[in-house]
Amino acid sequence: RFEIAEGVVFDTQQLTNPVVVLDALSVESTPTEFALIQNYPNPFNPETTIKYNLAEGAEVQLRIYNIVGQLVRTLVAEQQPAGRYQVRWAGRDDRGMVVSSGIYFYQIAAGKFSDVKRLMLLK
């Protein structure tokens, strides 16, 4: 990540064009690999952040499961373009009910990529 406050842009004809930005310009690269990143904080209470990277567009399913493998919450179920994403989970199931303390698993399926990580909710 880098920020540009002011600068000069050079084009192919080697003309200079001043750049004036009223705010900082944030530029992020597109990921080159799929990745599911460990949530933080972990353990968590009352909520945690889950980040993931998509190297290319895909139908994404990001789900939370309890220790016995039952689906607790679907956080993402949609087509997404390549990029970096983050989702917050506040320890609630798909009905909006608060879940109990314990170990949970979050799984991503995006195209041919799939991964699972563990998280812990402490109350």
Side-chain angles (χ1 to χ4, degrees):
R1 178 174 183 237
F2 60 93
E3 296 179 357
I4 300 172
E6 60 182 77
V8 176
V9 175
F10 294 92
D11 64 22
T12 56
Q13 298 174 347
Q14 297 186 351
L15 302 174
T16 61
N17 301 294
V19 175
V20 178
V21 179
L22 298 177
D23 243 344
L25 173 66
S26 178
V27 179
E28 291 188 12
S29 64
T30 302
T32 57
E33 295 180 347
F34 286 90
L36 180 61
I37 299 161
Q38 186 64 52
N39 68 300
Y40 66 89
N42 190 31
F44 74 97
N45 181 11
E47 66 182 23
T48 190
T49 300
I50 298 169
K51 292 184 176 186
Y52 58 96
N53 298 337
L54 302 178
E56 59 188 46
E59 180 68 29
V60 178
Q61 303 287 328
L62 180 61
R63 296 183 171 129
I64 307 288
Y65 294 90
N66 64 19
I67 194 82
V68 295
Q70 297 169 321
L71 178 64
V72 172
R73 180 79 190 254
T74 298
L75 297 173
V76 177
E78 65 186 19
Q79 179 74 29
Q80 293 183 324
R84 301 175 196 281
Y85 295 88
Q86 70 177 29
V87 177
R88 294 184 150 234
W89 183 46
R92 295 183 178 270
D93 65 15
D94 278 333
R95 298 172 295 155
M97 304 296 294
V98 175
V99 299
S100 61
S101 293
I103 297 173
Y104 293 86
F105 298 93
Y106 58 106
Q107 177 192 39
I108 190 168
K112 295 178 182 178
F113 174 73
S114 181
D115 197 6
V116 177
K117 295 210 181 287
R118 184 177 64 174
L119 55 80
M120 183 180 293
L121 171 60
L122 290 179
K123 293 185 181 187

